[in-house]
Amino acid sequence: MSVLSVWFVNGFLKLPGSCRNSLIQKGLRTRSMRVSCNLISLRATSSLPPQSRKILNDSNAKRTIHLSTNRNASTTLSGSRLSNESTPLAEYTPPTTGPLSLLPASWIPYAELVRLDKPAGTYYLFFPCLFSTLLAAPLAVPMASPLSVVGTSLLFFSGALIMRGAGCTINDLWDRNLDPHVRRTRLRPIARGAVTPFNALAFTGVQLIAGLGILVQFPYQCLFYGIPSLLFVTAYPLAKRVTHYPQAMLGLTFSWGAIMGFPALGVDLLHNNAALTAAGLLYASNVAWTVLYDMIYAHMDIKDDAKAGIKSIALRHDAQTKQILSGLAVTQIGLLAAAGFAAGAGPVFFAGSCGGAGVTLAIMIKRVNLKSVKDCWWWFVNGCLLTGGAISAGLGGDYLLRFYAKTDSLSSKQEMLDE
């Protein structure tokens, strides 16, 4: 004990008993006096009268139980938080299966950068191109042949693959300071340092040149329709910082292909009102579809986005998500039906495309568990194939019926002329 402590204890013990008891009871309620009372209980308990010793001992016992309980509760809470919210973060491991595992090690970060192992985004970018190609084919003069439709669709798929990769690279460049703070994106190549921003920028240039190489394979009018879409590709990552509705900007970007199929098959939108109306309605329908599926996608990152300050429609309307998804589905199908009507589509389109889209979207909206990252991802990937496949099947069936009906009509006319 220090000289000061000895002086304090000696002075305390000389006080009258009632005064000591009162001082102990009041002192135990304050943080500063607890230290002195604890010192007394350790060093001078034997010198105190029985009543004073009892007050101190009871207080110490209660304080010990209280501290032990707090420690246990803190430990339990900490453990619960770790298990529920912050499970150990996995370290990056190179792919051992799939197409990426076959690539040289130096190529893998760039393949990951363009999401080569996650093709759902490519499908979502390709489907609007396929829709517009199938919708425009009967409007072409002469009507586009199936071989021409297939060739155009394959070119669109190549362009979707390249431009989706370019869009992902641009997105990751913009988000290089945000991605490390989001669990799902922290191991992306730029975020983990596997690709430098300069190399990513150079890689973007290569991809854009390759995309231009695909674009020039189409009729020259497609250049005037295709190049403006790059503005949306560049602007989308910025939208996440200024609005809760970046999905709308993504819709404007990913739906651009809904216009491109018309000029790709030689349909002049500026001089064909029916085609222009159909293209505009199909584009709007795909914007609604994009917002719908990306709202489900946004729920995978909703907690991390809130912490990182990233805005999304899922954060803004978390409690009303299913109602909004339903409204978007109705809007999408209504605009799709209007586009088909403007293009002169038949009952196969309305039953297959509109009806099929309605069924697949209704099932997805009903079954998706928005609180489960795994379930959101499953429906994001498979919902693309289900809804996109249904719409494509209806459009394809309608086109083929109209094509062969036209062919039979021409054959009949030719036979009449020959006679």
Side-chain angles (χ1 to χ4, degrees):
M1 295 174 65
S2 65
V3 174
L4 184 60
S5 299
V6 172
W7 175 84
F8 177 81
V9 172
N10 290 336
F12 180 81
L13 294 175
K14 292 179 181 178
L15 293 172
S18 59
C19 184
R20 281 198 304 265
N21 294 342
S22 176
L23 187 59
I24 290 172
Q25 289 174 336
K26 292 180 180 179
L28 287 169
R29 299 191 189 103
T30 66
R31 187 175 185 84
S32 60
M33 284 297 291
R34 281 185 193 137
V35 178
S36 300
C37 292
N38 190 49
L39 180 64
I40 293 170
S41 68
L42 291 174
R43 300 288 184 173
T45 302
S46 59
S47 304
L48 291 173
Q51 187 176 2
S52 297
R53 285 201 302 270
K54 185 176 185 304
I55 293 173
L56 274 174
N57 291 336
D58 289 347
S59 174
N60 286 335
K62 290 178 183 178
R63 190 156 60 93
T64 301
I65 293 171
H66 176 72
L67 290 173
S68 176
T69 303
N70 282 349
R71 286 194 195 98
N72 292 337
S74 177
T75 303
T76 302
L77 180 61
S78 176
S80 174
R81 190 177 292 124
L82 283 171
S83 62
N84 293 334
E85 297 180 11
S86 56
T87 53
L89 297 176
E91 295 296 327
Y92 173 78
T93 55
T96 56
T97 59
L100 266 61
S101 63
L102 305 175
L103 298 176
S106 59
W107 292 16
I108 291 176
Y110 293 93
E112 292 173 332
L113 191 60
V114 300
R115 317 288 198 271
L116 197 61
D117 56 331
K118 298 173 181 176
T122 300
Y123 301 152
Y124 275 119
L125 189 59
F126 168 65
F127 271 126
C129 303
L130 181 60
F131 298 162
S132 63
T133 301
L134 292 171
L135 190 62
L139 301 178
V141 180
M143 188 180 291
S145 68
L147 187 61
S148 175
V149 170
V150 170
T152 300
S153 300
L154 290 175
L155 275 176
F156 273 131
F157 184 81
S158 300
L161 180 65
I162 293 170
M163 293 308 298
R164 187 262 181 146
C168 289
T169 307
I170 293 171
N171 180 79
D172 288 4
L173 278 168
W174 281 116
D175 290 352
R176 64 186 182 275
N177 296 322
L178 295 175
D179 283 346
H181 304 289
V182 178
R183 177 180 294 268
R184 186 179 56 82
T185 62
R186 52 182 284 275
L187 293 180
R188 284 178 176 173
I190 298 177
R192 71 173 191 265
V195 176
T196 65
F198 177 80
N199 288 346
L201 188 61
F203 186 49
T204 301
V206 172
Q207 293 175 89
L208 293 177
I209 292 172
L212 181 61
I214 296 293
L215 187 59
V216 297
Q217 304 304 311
F218 293 103
Y220 75 92
Q221 294 93 337
C222 289
L223 284 170
F224 304 112
Y225 291 99
I227 291 177
S229 66
L230 294 177
L231 297 174
F232 294 118
V233 173
T234 305
Y236 164 65
L238 293 176
K240 293 183 285 187
R241 294 160 171 78
V242 298
T243 176
H244 280 95
Y245 305 98
Q247 285 73 23
M249 179 62 72
L250 184 69
L252 296 175
T253 307
F254 264 55
S255 302
W256 201 259
I259 299 172
M260 296 298 295
F262 292 86
L265 291 178
V267 178
D268 188 352
L269 291 174
L270 299 180
H271 296 89
N272 188 327
N273 289 333
L276 180 62
T277 302
L281 291 168
L282 183 64
Y283 179 67
S285 173
N286 277 272
V287 171
W289 187 35
T290 305
V291 176
L292 188 158
Y293 67 68
D294 201 57
M295 189 174 188
I296 294 175
Y297 184 85
H299 271 272
M300 294 193 294
D301 299 329
I302 193 167
K303 293 181 180 179
D304 289 332
D305 284 352
K307 294 175 184 176
I310 300 173
K311 301 178 186 295
S312 77
I313 191 173
L315 275 171
R316 188 63 178 265
H317 301 287
D318 184 18
Q320 300 86 28
T321 296
K322 294 247 176 166
Q323 294 92 321
I324 293 175
L325 292 177
S326 300
L328 288 168
V330 171
T331 302
Q332 176 195 348
I333 296 168
L335 290 169
L336 179 64
F341 180 80
V348 173
F349 163 78
F350 291 101
S353 295
C354 300
V359 171
T360 57
L361 289 172
I363 293 172
M364 179 177 69
I365 293 170
K366 179 176 178 58
R367 293 189 178 181
V368 63
N369 178 7
L370 297 171
K371 302 302 180 184
S372 168
V373 173
K374 185 177 180 181
D375 203 51
C376 287
W377 174 250
W378 193 94
W379 281 105
F380 173 77
V381 172
N382 294 282
C384 163
L385 300 175
L386 293 171
T387 303
I391 296 173
S392 299
L395 282 164
D398 179 73
Y399 157 67
L400 289 174
L401 284 176
R402 295 168 73 180
F403 176 78
Y404 287 113
K406 183 77 171 178
T407 302
D408 290 343
S409 175
L410 291 174
S411 298
S412 299
K413 289 180 180 179
Q414 186 63 40
E415 289 176 358
M416 291 176 63
L417 289 174
D418 291 341
E419 292 177 357

